[in-house]
Amino acid sequence: MASETVEAVLFPGIDVRVERVSDSSDVLVVEAVSTARPGRCPDCRKQARRMHSTYQRALNEGPLGPRRVIVRLRVRRDFCDRENCSRKTFVEQVPGLSERHRGSSTGLTGWLRSIAIELGGRPAARLCRRLRVAAGRTRLLRLLTAPPVPDRAPQVLGVDEFAFRKGCTYGTVLVDVDVEVGRVVDVLPDRTSERFAAWLKDHPGAEIICRDRASAYTKAVREAAPDALEVADRWHLLQNLCAAVEKTCHQHRNCLRKHAEQATEPTVPELSRTQIIERTRHRYEDIHRLVEKGWTISAIGRRLNLDRKTVRRFRDTDLDELLASARDRRPNGVLEPFKAYLNARFTETQGQVSGTRLFQDIYQRGYRGSRQVVRKHLAALRAGTAEPVRVDIPSPRKITSWIMRPRETLTDSQDRRLLEVRLACPDVTRACDLARAFADLVRHRRGFLLLEWIRQAEQDAPKPMQGFAGFLRQDLDAVTAGLTLEWSSGVVEGHVNRVKTLKRAMYGRASFELLRPRILTQP
């Protein structure tokens, strides 16, 4: 009865008979014998009729509670009676329990393979030690076998590159972009057009191919699948547009500085108008405006890129108290807000002004630094070594972020500063109008207006925007399809991020032979 219970627990539906069970504190040894019919020769598949001998083999089984389980299985070695078969004898295998050249049972091997797929080598080995299963990282990695690749490519195929080592070696991941599937089809060891073209020839059937702006993939598609429709990814289009806008802002940064200097009068700054005070006022207004609209603290924090504790403090604290707290904080460089006034006074008096007089002027307006700092700055002005005071203008990246974001997501202060930038430079204004028009085409998928946008950009746009428009014209069909059809490379980008996670979790053993099975087998 006890053996029947053990058989029902350990070997359900398997043709074995338990003869003995030895129990110790940490190991459970089960001695069993095969009761299956004689097996077939693995080469010629002829069923055995004569037994050669028997022997006992040890198999590791899955743990039972806190104890390891070892199965000592007695199996037969049979003769192969077919004359033209090269194999004279062979060992029987018990279906569902044993396999050739395996020191673990079929069930435990499946467990180890699943653990290796999810965790890789070293993390999987650590988990196996906790589960009281004998399996090293090398053995676990050897269990990784890539599934067969389908003979035909999916109807909608996505392709993108990923880095084995950034800047040096790259691979290619191919994904079924179908929303209901979204799985990796295959992984290639490089990103060359020859490799991808050969894969397309060996796996026909792709009707739509989603890609980024890489020219190597375009060349491969035109060579191996000329009838397939290429779809340029919308996110990459916006990324290229951002680069063009930011380059335009870099080229015209002097225009912004000149306009800001002309609009700024050299006066002694009031303490209440320092950068910290102004930021506090704007932040208080923005938060309370969103609170009145019924926004939650978390939503406001995400919108303004603030911590939830900061949002709650501005919501629950009076403005006067917040301003008083801001006045106690010194700006970076206690003299910095007053340098413009000191330089102007030095120029007006042709250097005939004392440091004590300048100190008294700015002290009445809120300066709380030492007199020696003022004297040192005055000495630098007389020696001609003082650094010029530059007005505060937004960085090209910040201007680009204001331009590319939807207008309704900008705060009042951001919208006002963007308006100042537009008034300062006509080229930035033109780039802003074109960028917003193109972003509207992307978000609403109005590909039929793309050619007209390109013509406008090529006529009077800044050079970076003209270069972007020319790039779109070279890839007009794929870009038009990207701005018209629903397909994109979003699923592919998600798998690329997953590949990066897998690669970094393998602790330097992420060779292509090991990485490919994990990519293909992990859902």
Side-chain angles (χ1 to χ4, degrees):
M1 189 67 177
S3 61
E4 291 180 0
T5 303
V6 174
E7 291 168 0
V9 173
L10 295 179
F11 312 115
I14 300 177
D15 296 327
V16 295
R17 183 180 69 253
V18 176
E19 295 184 333
R20 183 181 177 186
V21 178
S22 302
D23 188 9
S24 64
S25 59
D26 58 348
V27 179
L28 185 68
V29 179
V30 180
E31 297 183 9
V33 61
S34 172
T35 60
R37 296 179 59 189
R40 295 180 179 273
C41 175
D43 290 348
C44 66
R45 306 306 300 169
K46 179 178 177 59
Q47 189 170 9
R49 294 182 179 178
R50 294 187 300 148
M51 185 177 67
H52 178 277
S53 59
T54 63
Y55 78 98
Q56 192 177 69
R57 59 183 299 190
L59 297 175
N60 289 318
E61 184 56 273
L64 187 63
R67 287 169 293 191
R68 292 177 53 199
V69 177
I70 298 177
V71 180
R72 298 192 182 278
L73 180 64
R74 182 163 295 279
V75 294
R76 298 186 297 262
R77 178 179 291 275
D78 296 323
F79 284 105
C80 180
D81 294 328
R82 179 162 291 182
E83 295 181 358
N84 57 354
C85 182
S86 60
R87 187 181 295 274
K88 301 303 179 183
T89 62
F90 62 91
V91 177
E92 68 169 334
Q93 303 297 330
V94 180
L97 181 60
S98 64
E99 296 177 320
R100 294 184 64 197
H101 309 302
R102 293 286 186 193
S104 57
S105 68
T106 303
L108 180 59
T109 301
W111 283 16
L112 297 179
R113 182 178 292 109
S114 299
I115 293 174
I117 290 173
E118 295 296 332
L119 298 179
R122 286 185 176 91
R126 290 195 295 268
L127 178 60
C128 288
R129 285 196 296 269
R130 289 186 175 263
L131 295 177
R132 297 181 178 274
V133 176
R137 66 178 187 272
T138 302
R139 177 186 174 189
L140 289 166
L141 292 176
R142 285 175 180 170
L143 294 176
L144 295 176
T145 56
V149 179
D151 295 333
R152 293 186 61 82
Q155 183 179 3
V156 184
L157 178 68
V159 55
D160 201 357
E161 64 184 25
F162 67 92
F164 292 110
R165 185 179 179 186
K166 191 172 182 180
C168 297
T169 55
Y170 289 82
T172 299
V173 59
L174 305 174
V175 179
D176 188 345
V177 183
D178 193 316
V179 178
E180 298 181 355
V181 181
R183 63 177 179 83
V184 177
V185 177
D186 201 355
V187 184
L188 306 181
D190 55 44
R191 58 176 178 179
T192 61
S193 60
E194 294 79 11
R195 179 85 63 175
F196 184 40
W199 191 93
L200 289 175
K201 292 178 181 177
D202 295 337
H203 304 81
E207 299 179 4
I208 299 175
I209 298 179
C210 301
R211 57 168 176 80
D212 57 10
R213 308 303 305 283
S215 58
Y217 297 141
T218 302
K219 179 181 178 182
V221 172
R222 293 175 181 174
E223 175 186 347
D227 297 332
L229 176 63
E230 297 181 67
V231 178
D233 183 55
R234 292 184 286 274
W235 184 87
H236 287 91
L237 293 175
L238 290 177
Q239 185 185 40
N240 298 146
L241 176 63
C242 287
V245 173
E246 185 173 350
K247 189 174 182 180
T248 301
C249 296
H250 268 294
Q251 292 178 351
H252 296 276
R253 190 167 174 80
N254 290 333
C255 299
L256 305 182
R257 181 173 287 111
K258 182 178 180 181
H259 177 82
E261 290 175 350
Q262 292 176 351
T264 303
E265 296 182 0
T267 58
V268 178
E270 297 283 351
L271 185 60
S272 59
R273 304 297 294 179
T274 60
Q275 185 177 2
I276 296 177
I277 298 296
E278 287 302 300
R279 185 179 63 190
T280 303
R281 292 180 186 275
H282 294 320
R283 183 172 292 175
Y284 181 86
E285 294 171 359
D286 294 339
I287 290 176
H288 278 265
R289 175 169 51 82
L290 296 177
V291 169
E292 292 174 358
K293 293 181 179 180
W295 286 46
T296 64
I297 291 179
S298 298
I300 296 174
R302 289 191 296 268
R303 172 71 176 273
L304 303 180
N305 196 22
L306 297 174
D307 188 83
R308 296 175 72 253
K309 296 188 292 294
T310 303
V311 176
R312 186 180 291 108
R313 184 168 66 88
F314 273 79
R315 185 195 64 177
D316 301 337
T317 309
D318 293 335
L319 178 60
D320 294 338
E321 184 177 346
L322 293 172
L323 294 177
S325 176
R327 290 190 186 98
D328 295 336
R329 298 179 58 189
R330 292 186 175 186
N332 294 332
V334 66
L335 189 64
E336 196 66 31
F338 305 92
K339 282 186 178 181
Y341 172 76
L342 296 178
N343 293 358
R345 288 278 291 144
F346 179 83
T347 303
E348 291 174 0
T349 60
Q350 298 181 354
Q352 305 300 318
V353 62
S354 66
T356 302
R357 177 63 180 173
L358 293 178
F359 171 78
Q360 293 173 351
D361 290 344
I362 62 178
Y363 186 83
Q364 295 175 0
R365 298 295 181 137
Y367 174 69
R368 292 299 179 265
S370 67
R371 187 175 309 194
Q372 189 65 23
V373 176
V374 180
R375 289 177 176 174
K376 286 183 178 181
H377 182 69
L378 183 60
L381 289 174
R382 288 171 176 164
T385 59
E387 296 183 359
V389 179
R390 296 185 178 273
V391 295
D392 180 28
I393 59 175
S395 65
R397 178 165 294 184
K398 184 174 292 185
I399 297 173
T400 303
S401 69
W402 295 341
I403 292 174
M404 297 304 300
R405 287 166 54 185
R407 299 181 186 179
E408 60 272 12
T409 64
L410 296 177
T411 62
D412 294 338
S413 60
Q414 292 171 345
D415 192 55
R416 183 173 61 254
R417 296 198 70 183
L418 179 58
L419 178 60
E420 295 174 356
V421 171
R422 289 170 59 91
L423 293 175
C425 182
D427 285 340
V428 175
T429 301
R430 183 57 177 159
C432 176
D433 294 337
L434 289 172
R436 285 180 166 175
F438 187 84
D440 184 74
L441 299 184
V442 173
R443 293 188 179 103
H444 298 91
R445 280 190 264 167
R446 297 171 177 169
F448 61 93
L449 298 176
L450 176 62
L451 192 57
E452 179 61 27
W453 186 93
I454 294 176
R455 290 170 182 165
Q456 294 179 6
E458 290 175 341
Q459 288 178 359
D460 56 355
K463 287 187 177 180
M465 298 297 291
Q466 289 182 358
F468 174 69
F471 198 35
L472 295 181
R473 185 179 287 278
Q474 295 176 4
D475 202 15
L476 184 61
D477 293 339
V479 175
T480 303
L483 301 186
T484 306
L485 303 178
E486 61 177 338
W487 307 108
S488 70
S489 298
V491 177
V492 186
E493 293 295 333
H495 280 289
V496 170
N497 289 332
R498 184 173 66 88
V499 169
K500 293 178 182 178
T501 303
L502 292 175
K503 179 173 62 70
R504 292 165 183 167
M506 293 180 73
Y507 298 97
R509 299 198 63 173
S511 64
F512 181 75
E513 291 75 14
L514 295 178
L515 185 61
R516 181 174 179 269
R518 289 201 69 192
I519 296 174
L520 294 178
T521 54
Q522 193 175 64

